[in-house]
Amino acid sequence: MRLNRRDLLKAAGAAGALNLVWPLSAGLSPAQALEAAQALGAVYDPAPFTLGVGSGDPQPGSVLLWTRLAPEPLAAEQALPDIVEVEWLVAEDPALSRVVARGSHPASATLGHSVHVAVHGLAPGTRYWYVFRALGKSSRVGRTKTAAAGPVPRVRFAAANCQAFHDGFYAAHRGIAAEDLDFVVHLGDYIYEHGPVGGDHVRDHDAPATFTLADYRRRHALYKGDPSLRDAHAAHPWYLTWDDHEVVNDYSGTTGGAPFLKRRSAAYQAWYENQPHRDASAAGGAGLPDPEIHRVRRWGDLLELTVLDLRSYRSAQNLIGGTILGAQQKGWLKQNVSAAPDSWHVWANSIMLSQLRSRVGGGYMFTDQWDGFTAERKEVLTHVLNSGMEDLVVVTGDWHSAFVDDIRPDFDNTASPVIGTEFTAHSVTSGAYSADWNRTNGPVMGRGNPHLKYFEGNRYGYDVYEATPARFSAHLRVIADRRDPNSPVTTLTSFHIDRGVAGSYEDPATKSSPAQWRRDQ
């Protein structure tokens, strides 16, 4: 019988076993914390590159390389000099014999001995391999790819979200690492600020929440202990946004007193230190970061990726005149829509854009998502319609279940035109509703939301998206068992969108796959 991490922790607590407690419990030494993490399946790379390597934010001639020195990954402080020089190298081959760029970068204690190197002068649409060296040791070899330029016949990428360490193993990331991809998009909830819980608002006394910079650094280090996550980072370049649990459940970035602002600042810094994210505010390696998430990136003439930040600038929910984007980001998004090129337009969106009523004529299920900001949603989507922009695809996380929705400027008006499609992906591990809940409520949600085409909530995994000049396809990859780090990956179903035709359709070959709701087409 396989046990997930939550079950192991419960069993250990009942038995009083020190080596199976929550690794970030108060009072554990770094060695004890590491032992506890290893008992839950954590395995680290050799020191000092224990947390692996990664790359991100690829552009046609540039990519961002990342690592972080952490000889004792779960220690509050690292026994390292204030500044460690880290050498880096980029080559055209896995053996690193055809070197195209090299240099060194200072890893400072101020930024957790993290390294963010923006490498320029690379060829568009090209794979490269890279390595870091420091303190007489070398990191694993990572692989990356620059964004394409000009005509592109295909773009293929994966989207992942919601990966609670205590809820299971990252077999989904093992699958992502093995995929043939141009890049990965992470849609948020990379970490959870709490440990094993009965719900988002209840914390176990042995799994204290994160508040300080040291807390968040250790939380990220624990999550990086899953080898499949490190493999996925080393295999592909990533674009990243965040949701709430990188800081605290359901937070608004513009409200809260001084203690919350201090906590948010610590969380943002630790997130930056542990991610392959390009951020101009800390480009010199010494300044404190203030990560800017929203950006537009293009993959040749085929795909425009718009990454949104739906946490940092939002107001409280359900306010007249409330905002989820903030005035500056909203203006930026509308301006980009007005100037959009002729391509597929993909919005990386951390929380559900489409309306989700609890039943016919009922209230919204959750107003932490765009349903809490209905006027702004209608404003933005009406602008998309009026601009004439076509081929809009929104990829979303957060829900721990899979949805496929038609996007309309006015979701309550079935005569409102379809202007795009939203794909909400399964979670990597984070617990979904029960099979009984899904079986009962899938049809209820379907009948209450005429734009909802598909719902499946019993599985875990990730999505793979493929764009060609003629069609955009979404392949819902699922794992067999999140309790198994080597769980096989299969395709549950696929949906397609034809270029120039708003709305999706399910692939006939997979339409008989299990689901709790399908709208007849």
Side-chain angles (χ1 to χ4, degrees):
M1 177 182 177
R2 296 188 177 105
L3 292 174
N4 64 19
R5 288 173 171 140
R6 182 189 294 273
D7 295 332
L8 287 169
L9 287 160
K10 285 181 179 178
L18 177 62
N19 68 338
L20 277 176
V21 298
W22 178 238
L24 303 181
S25 297
L28 296 184
S29 69
Q32 290 171 326
L34 180 60
E35 181 185 3
Q38 290 170 335
L40 295 176
V43 180
Y44 291 93
D45 282 10
F49 299 101
T50 53
L51 308 181
V53 301
S55 67
D57 198 27
Q59 298 181 31
S62 175
V63 71
L64 188 286
L65 304 183
W66 167 90
T67 192
R68 181 178 161 228
L69 307 181
E72 290 190 277
L74 299 179
E77 299 287 341
Q78 298 297 318
L80 291 170
D82 284 348
I83 300 290
V84 178
E85 284 295 325
V86 180
E87 298 177 350
W88 57 270
L89 179 151
V90 178
E92 295 176 325
D93 62 308
L96 307 176
S97 61
R98 300 194 301 275
V99 177
V100 297
R102 66 195 325 154
S104 65
H105 192 85
S108 70
T110 302
L111 291 179
H113 293 99
S114 61
V115 176
H116 296 79
V117 177
V119 183
H120 297 277
L122 303 176
T126 302
R127 288 207 184 277
Y128 293 96
W129 286 259
Y130 61 94
V131 71
F132 295 95
R133 298 189 177 105
L135 304 173
K137 304 291 185 181
S138 295
S139 72
R140 68 161 73 191
V141 175
R143 184 183 68 171
T144 190
K145 188 174 186 179
T146 52
V152 179
R154 187 190 78 158
V155 178
R156 202 163 187 269
F157 66 100
N161 72 94
C162 300
Q163 52 194 46
F165 181 88
H166 48 270
D167 275 351
F169 294 97
Y170 295 161
H173 280 302
R174 181 173 172 268
I176 288 173
E179 294 274 3
D180 176 18
L181 303 172
D182 293 301
F183 58 87
V184 174
V185 178
H186 200 285
L187 298 166
D189 290 344
Y190 188 99
I191 64 165
Y192 281 70
E193 82 285 5
H194 55 70
V197 296
D200 275 346
H201 302 285
V202 183
R203 295 195 302 270
D204 186 278
H205 71 281
D206 287 327
T210 46
F211 291 95
T212 68
L213 179 56
D215 291 341
Y216 283 104
R217 282 174 174 168
R218 296 176 71 221
R219 186 70 49 135
H220 278 278
L222 176 62
Y223 277 56
K224 285 287 202 308
D226 192 300
S228 295
L229 177 57
R230 296 199 310 283
D231 288 349
H233 272 295
H236 313 291
W238 288 36
Y239 297 100
L240 298 116
T241 187
W242 50 31
D243 194 21
D244 53 342
H245 288 291
E246 284 86 353
V247 180
V248 66
N249 187 52
D250 288 355
Y251 83 94
S252 167
T254 59
T255 60
F260 167 74
L261 295 178
K262 185 177 180 180
R263 182 183 189 182
R264 187 191 68 179
S265 178
Y268 281 8
Q269 179 173 337
W271 182 91
Y272 172 76
E273 291 174 352
N274 287 278
Q275 298 293 8
H277 177 72
R278 191 192 307 252
D279 190 65
S281 66
L288 291 177
D290 183 16
E292 184 176 78
I293 300 297
H294 61 286
R295 60 198 59 202
V296 171
R297 297 291 183 256
R298 294 188 173 91
W299 211 271
D301 64 352
L302 185 57
L303 187 143
E304 179 187 62
L305 177 69
T306 300
V307 182
L308 299 177
D309 181 350
L310 303 181
R311 284 292 162 189
S312 299
Y313 315 112
R314 64 157 61 191
S315 67
Q317 309 165 22
N318 305 315
L319 298 179
I320 295 174
T323 178
I324 193 171
L325 293 166
Q328 186 274 334
Q329 186 180 199
K330 181 173 70 173
W332 166 86
L333 177 60
K334 292 173 70 175
Q335 197 170 45
N336 290 336
V337 167
S338 296
D342 181 16
S343 67
W344 290 104
H345 304 283
V346 176
W347 292 2
N349 174 72
S350 59
I351 51 177
M352 188 176 285
L353 172 69
S354 300
Q355 180 172 284
L356 188 62
R357 293 195 180 276
S358 58
R359 61 186 185 282
V360 177
Y364 303 122
M365 291 195 68
F366 300 107
T367 57
D368 183 64
Q369 52 198 39
W370 283 79
D371 277 340
F373 307 88
T374 54
E376 184 164 271
R377 175 174 62 193
K378 188 172 184 178
E379 176 189 351
V380 169
L381 295 181
T382 299
H383 183 74
V384 171
L385 173 64
N386 293 339
S387 75
M389 189 182 87
E390 296 182 325
D391 304 316
L392 173 63
V393 180
V394 178
V395 297
T396 297
D398 181 59
W399 233 93
H400 307 178
S401 300
F403 294 77
V404 180
D405 287 280
D406 286 334
I407 299 173
R408 302 176 186 272
D410 184 352
F411 285 100
D412 285 322
N413 178 8
T414 55
S416 181
V418 176
I419 61 169
T421 295
E422 180 173 27
F423 295 110
T424 301
H426 290 99
S427 65
V428 170
T429 61
S430 301
Y433 285 107
S434 70
D436 287 343
W437 191 96
N438 293 331
R439 182 171 55 253
T440 300
N441 289 282
V444 173
M445 291 189 294
R447 290 190 294 268
N449 299 277
H451 51 276
L452 174 58
K453 287 189 166 182
Y454 174 91
F455 167 74
E456 202 295 312
N458 291 348
R459 290 162 177 81
Y460 299 87
Y462 59 97
D463 283 2
V464 170
Y465 302 111
E466 185 170 359
T468 70
R471 192 167 79 167
F472 188 100
S473 298
H475 306 292
L476 280 61
R477 302 278 205 254
V478 293
I479 61 172
D481 192 340
R482 60 180 170 155
R483 298 170 298 179
D484 180 3
N486 299 310
S487 181
V489 175
T490 58
T491 300
L492 178 63
T493 192
S494 297
F495 277 79
H496 306 291
I497 307 165
D498 293 329
R499 186 78 175 268
V501 181
S504 66
Y505 57 94
E506 193 168 6
D507 194 304
T510 57
K511 197 172 180 181
S512 61
S513 62
Q516 289 80 56
W517 172 256
R518 277 187 175 87
R519 186 172 301 282
D520 292 334
Q521 299 183 37

